[in-house]
Structures are given as C-alpha cells and as structure tokens.
Amino acid sequence: MDGARPGNTAGASARRDPPAAGERIADWADGRLGLYRLAKANMRKVFPDHWSFMLGEVCLYSFLILILTGVYLTLFFEPSGTEVVYHGSYEPLNGVIMTRAYESTLDISFDVRGGLLIRQIHHWAALVFVAGMLVHMMRVFFTGAFRKPRELNWLFGWTLLMLGIITGLTGYSLPDDLLSGTGIRFAQGAILSVPIVGTYLSFFLFGGEFPGHDIIPRLFPIHVLLLPGIMLGLVVAHLILVFYHKHTQYPGPGRDEKSVVGMPFLPVYMAKAGGFFFLVFGVLAMMGGLASINPVWAFGPYRPDLVTTGAQPDWYLGFSEGLIRVMPGWEINAWGHTLALGVFIPFSLFPLILLALGLYPFLEAWITGDKREHHILDRPRNAPVRTGLGVAWLSLYAVLLIGGGNDIVATHLHLSINVITWFVRVAVFVLPVLAFWVTKRICLGLQRRDRDKVLHGRETGTVKRLPNGEYVEQHEPLPQSRLFTLTQHEQNPPYEIGPLVDANGVRRRVRTSQRVRARLARAMFGSGARIAKPSAEEYREITSGDSRH
C-alpha cells in the first residue's frame, strides 16, 4: 500500500495542474461565444474538389487584395477638383494645369515608394475581380447551381457583380486623366438623356455645369467607403449561405442529394485555400510589375475640349458603351424638349440585359414548378435551352464589346468605322439567335453520344473481321461509375395544362399565365429539347444479346 501511494499522489497532482494559457483563452472564448460548438459543426464541413469551384475563390481573394491595395492608395490620393500647376518628377507635364486629383495620381506613380506597383496591382485586381465574378456566375448558371435553396445566394452574387461594375466605374474615374474624364463625360451624357429629370440629376451629381469641381470629391467616398462596405457585407452573407447550405457537387459515384464527397474544411481545404490565395496574390503582383495598365501620364489631364482615339472604359463596361455607339441617333422634339432616344434607349437596355440574368432562376423555377432542393449540378449538355440562352447572352456581350471599342478595332484591323458599326447593328440581332441554335444542337448531339456510349460501350480502336467479311470495331462496356454519371440526370415531363374539359363536360378556365408557362415548358424541357436517356430495359436488352461487337 505504501509503495502505491507516491504514484497515486503524482497522478492526482498531475490532474490538479492548472490548464495552459491557450486552453484558458479557448475556454473563456467558448463560454461567451460558443465557439466550440460552432467549430465542431462547421470546421469539418466537406467541400467537393473540382477546379471550377476555385472561380469563387479567385473573386474572394481579388476582393481582399483590392481592399489591401486600396487602403494604401487612399493614404496618398487627394480627391480634389481644385486646379493646380504641376511641378513634379514627370517633366513632360511640368507647367501644365491639372486637378489636384490628377497631380496626386502622378505623385503616387512617380514619387511614392511602390506607388505605381500598388496602383497597377489594384487595377489588375479590379479587372480579375469582375471577370472572376462573371465567369463564376456563368458556371453557376450553366450547371443549374442557382436552384433551390440557392436563389438568394444567386441574387447576392448578381448584386455583387452590379456593385463591382459600378465600383470599377467610380475608381476608374478618380484619377481625372483624359481617358477617365472622357468616361465621366460619357456617363453625364447618358444621365442627361433621362426624360424630365436628367438635367436635374446631372446638376446634382456634378454640382453645376459639367465638369464642375464636385464630382471627384463625391465619387471618392462612394468608391472607398460606401460601395466596398456594402460589398463586404454581401460577401460575408454569401459565404455564410455557402456554409449553411450543403455544397453543390458534380454528378458521380457516391454523390446524391443527401451526401457530399470531398475534403474537410480543416485542415485540407483551408491549407489549399491559403496556398491559392498567395498564388493569386503572386500572379496579380507579377502582372502589376510587368504589364503596364492605365498609364495616366501618357493621356494627360482631362480637358472638356479634348478627346482621344482609344477612349474606352474597362472591358466590363464596354458593352454599355457599345450599345450607345451603334444606336442610331434618333431624337424626338416636342413642346420645346428633345428626347434623345439614341442615348436613352441603350442607357435603359444596359441594366435590363443584366436584370434578365438576375431573374432567370425564378423564371425557370416558375416554368418547372420544381420546389425540391437540388445539390447535384446539371451537366450543361443536359439542359440545352438553358445552355443556349447563356451562350446567346455571352455572344451579345461580345458583339457589344466590339461596338464599344470600334475605334480600336478600326485602327488595328484597318477597317472602316461604318463597316464595324453596321456589323454590330446586324450581329446584335442575328448572332445571339445563331449562337443559341448552334449551342442547342451541340448539346443534343452530345446527349446522343452519351446515349450511344451507355448502350454500346466505349470504342476500343480494335477492328474485327466477321465471318461474312464485314469489318466492325469492338466496343467495351463502360464501368458502372461512368454509366451512373451519364444517366443520373432526371428527365421529368414538362408542365402541361391538362384537359380543357372536366369529367362533367364543363370547360375549365385556363389563365393566360398557365398557357405561357406550358408553352415555355415544352420549349425548354419538352421532347425537342432533350434526347431520351436509355432505360434499364434497353441497356439489359442490348448488353445481354449478341449485338455488342
């Protein structure tokens, strides 16, 4: 007994040792914030491993880099429209009258240590941010990831895209060089085209006649405070919903609406995400250091009486300018007022084209009447009409982008502005329709190929001669995992109105909305928009016989 006491005393003493500092801090935080339960529920959350999911991460990391570089630039930029005479490091502009905003931009570029690098990283990050959002949303659109329960997250993403475009416009306009000043003049002309209130809106924004001295001081807080603050809140809400909802995943073995196949958030996914952040940061830093962008010193300060060939906004606003450049200069003069339809119509179409993209998930949900949750993504080929609409939207965007840069296209390809303008005017109506039809046919062709693969197997490249002299290529059956991937999609019958006369011979009342819904359902999900996938009976009949070569 005496020999056992020292050991027992040591064990009791060890159990009475106070917890370490880190454990005490963790206990304190858990008692007030409930972090343990939150971490236990979410830190082991499974994320699928597919390269397309990194598109959203590119957007997030670009946004963080924009905030970091923007804070640095804010320390040195002076948002003032006050005119000064330049006497600085860039000698070609010495003695030139310019605004203090443009002068401080030159100082950042030539005098602040690392200023030009940070400026260019900031600009490249803005372009990558908007491009990443657009490509990410297209991935979501083509795969049907916007379906229930993610409609709200789709709206968050769409709002972020719109705010990103507006934030890019405000930041693009701050340096007050000849290029950005021309863009502000373009925006002012579009505002003036608004009937009745256009002039009042212009005077309110610019503080009087264009260009005034108030627009840059007003754009600055919008660009650095208001819009980023709203976007940061939307990003947080977007990420919370991503965690709350089960993550979408591509079809494959072991994947269904109730389970997710992938890696846990901690430690695997978090480690990969951290490495990917530094990879994105490194690429943007390399682009900022090697590829010059927006050299404001080459354009000079803005003057209302000057404009230059090549005065286009960044690519994400090019389609809005393309709408106005190719629109005929229609005007209506009545009661002493002029309605500039040549500007107002395309100015109105700009948000409507984007609005169509934002509301599409709700339109498709209304047409299908599907109220189930969807966590398995569609293969784009299995939704030909939706894929065709997406490609048509992108083709319209590309055509209008050519219209927005018609002078650059003309000077580089030695073409006439007239030829480019008329090409865009015709292509705006023809190309989206053609792109939709071609894309739909390609999707149906891919569905037929999938059907043949399921029924007849994979081509081996081995040619065999039969006793009757016929040459055939041998096929081998697909593995079960591949068969599941090719046939997992549903092909539910489209919505139908049903019989117009009930059992008592009384004619049913059918609303116009029901007729429209039925026609859209037939067009989008009817027999003409899909190839029937092989049934289990067809597969057994073919594979059990001697028809397989």
Side-chain angles (χ1 to χ4, degrees):
M1 293 294 293
D2 293 340
R5 287 173 186 169
N8 292 339
T9 304
S13 176
R15 287 193 296 270
R16 288 194 298 269
D17 287 342
E23 186 178 351
R24 290 198 304 272
I25 294 174
D27 289 340
W28 182 90
D30 179 56
R32 289 153 181 83
L33 303 175
L35 295 179
Y36 175 75
R37 181 177 299 177
L38 182 67
K40 185 178 180 180
N42 294 287
M43 292 301 99
R44 299 294 293 177
K45 185 178 180 66
V46 174
F47 281 80
D49 187 15
H50 193 273
W51 66 266
S52 66
F53 294 127
M54 292 193 298
L55 295 172
E57 294 182 45
V58 170
C59 303
L60 175 62
Y61 303 150
S62 300
F63 182 66
L64 295 177
I65 293 167
L66 279 170
I67 293 176
L68 294 174
T69 55
V71 169
Y72 184 83
L73 295 175
T74 303
L75 301 176
F76 304 99
F77 180 74
E78 185 174 335
S80 172
T82 304
E83 292 186 340
V84 296
V85 178
Y86 181 70
H87 296 286
S89 301
Y90 189 66
E91 293 186 1
L93 289 178
N94 277 335
V96 175
I97 298 176
M98 59 185 65
T99 60
R100 183 70 188 99
Y102 183 68
E103 183 185 40
S104 64
T105 305
L106 293 177
D107 292 341
I108 292 173
S109 302
F110 296 109
D111 298 322
V112 174
R113 186 177 297 276
L116 180 59
L117 175 63
I118 299 299
R119 259 197 68 231
Q120 298 201 146
I121 292 176
H122 189 75
H123 203 132
W124 279 118
L127 297 182
V128 172
F129 176 55
V130 181
M133 284 194 292
L134 182 61
V135 177
H136 177 56
M137 289 193 69
M138 287 296 98
R139 197 276 302 174
V140 172
F141 180 86
F142 286 127
T143 59
F146 52 73
R147 293 172 294 177
K148 183 181 178 180
R150 297 174 182 84
E151 304 96 331
L152 187 60
N153 229 6
W154 170 267
L155 286 182
F156 284 166
W158 181 84
T159 307
L160 279 168
L161 178 62
M162 289 291 293
L163 292 177
I165 292 174
I166 298 173
T167 306
L169 173 63
T170 57
Y172 169 89
S173 305
L174 287 177
D176 199 35
D177 59 285
L178 184 58
L179 188 61
S180 65
T182 305
I184 293 181
R185 185 57 184 264
F186 178 87
Q188 190 250 358
I191 293 171
L192 286 176
S193 69
V194 179
I196 302 175
V197 299
T199 304
Y200 299 99
L201 288 174
S202 175
F203 270 66
F204 172 75
L205 290 174
F206 291 89
E209 289 284 355
F210 181 85
H213 298 287
D214 296 339
I215 186 64
I216 293 177
R218 290 177 177 177
L219 288 178
F220 183 73
I222 294 174
H223 177 73
V224 304
L225 183 62
L226 179 62
L227 294 178
I230 297 174
M231 293 173 69
L232 183 60
L234 288 173
V235 167
V236 172
H238 184 79
L239 294 177
I240 289 174
L241 286 181
V242 168
F243 264 85
Y244 178 72
H245 297 139
K246 194 181 303 178
H247 208 292
T248 57
Q249 55 187 337
Y250 286 91
R255 301 170 186 179
D256 54 37
E257 302 291 355
K258 297 182 179 180
S259 61
V260 180
V261 177
M263 301 174 299
F265 182 70
L266 276 179
V268 181
Y269 190 83
M270 197 63 181
K272 292 180 66 175
F276 193 52
F277 168 76
F278 289 107
L279 179 62
V280 172
F281 206 155
V283 170
L284 288 175
M286 184 176 65
M287 294 170 67
L290 300 179
S292 178
I293 187 170
N294 197 25
V296 295
W297 55 89
F299 307 131
Y302 176 67
R303 284 176 48 183
D305 59 331
L306 294 179
V307 71
T308 176
T309 300
Q312 287 89 19
D314 285 326
W315 67 270
Y316 48 84
L317 280 171
F319 81 101
S320 63
E321 186 161 334
L323 280 167
I324 294 181
R325 288 197 184 194
V326 303
M327 181 74 184
W330 297 342
E331 290 185 355
I332 295 178
N333 296 299
W335 300 290
H337 298 277
T338 300
L339 181 59
L341 297 179
V343 178
F344 179 66
I345 291 178
F347 183 55
S348 304
L349 286 175
F350 163 61
L352 291 178
I353 292 174
L354 292 173
L355 185 62
L357 182 66
L359 296 180
Y360 178 84
F362 302 95
L363 175 64
E364 184 174 303
W366 174 69
I367 293 172
T368 60
D370 189 0
K371 301 184 183 300
R372 299 171 301 165
E373 290 192 0
H374 292 274
H375 304 291
I376 299 296
L377 299 173
D378 286 334
R379 300 174 77 206
R381 67 185 64 183
N382 293 329
V385 174
R386 181 205 297 154
T387 304
L389 290 173
V391 174
W393 189 90
L394 291 175
S395 66
L396 175 64
Y397 190 99
V399 169
L400 293 175
L401 196 60
I402 294 174
N406 57 1
D407 49 353
I408 291 292
V409 176
T411 55
H412 282 65
L413 300 182
H414 307 289
L415 297 174
S416 166
I417 287 283
N418 241 9
V419 170
I420 298 172
T421 300
W422 277 105
F423 165 77
V424 174
R425 286 177 178 176
V426 174
V428 159
F429 299 99
V430 175
L431 191 60
V433 177
L434 182 62
F436 171 82
W437 182 81
V438 170
T439 303
K440 182 181 175 183
R441 300 307 303 174
I442 292 174
C443 289
L444 292 176
L446 292 174
Q447 286 188 42
R448 288 191 183 93
R449 190 181 71 173
D450 289 345
R451 177 184 171 86
D452 290 341
K453 282 184 177 181
V454 171
L455 294 177
H456 303 292
R458 184 181 65 85
E459 298 174 352
T460 62
T462 302
V463 177
K464 178 181 179 181
R465 184 179 181 181
L466 301 180
N468 61 2
E470 179 185 2
Y471 288 91
V472 295
E473 184 179 12
Q474 288 186 309
H475 292 64
E476 64 179 18
L478 296 178
Q480 288 297 319
S481 60
R482 186 62 179 161
L483 290 174
F484 176 81
T485 302
L486 295 180
T487 59
Q488 58 79 38
H489 59 283
E490 298 178 343
Q491 290 187 332
N492 298 317
Y495 168 79
E496 294 181 356
I497 297 177
L500 299 179
V501 180
D502 62 16
N504 298 321
V506 179
R507 187 174 181 83
R508 293 173 52 229
R509 181 181 178 184
V510 180
R511 297 190 300 272
T512 303
S513 60
Q514 290 177 295
R515 297 182 186 275
V516 172
R517 179 184 172 189
R519 290 177 181 175
L520 290 175
R522 285 195 300 272
M524 295 182 66
F525 306 103
S527 58
R530 64 188 181 190
I531 303 299
K533 65 180 183 179
S535 63
E537 292 75 15
E538 288 179 296
Y539 178 76
R540 283 195 294 268
E541 180 182 352
I542 290 181
T543 56
S544 61
D546 298 329
S547 57
R548 182 178 298 276
H549 299 303

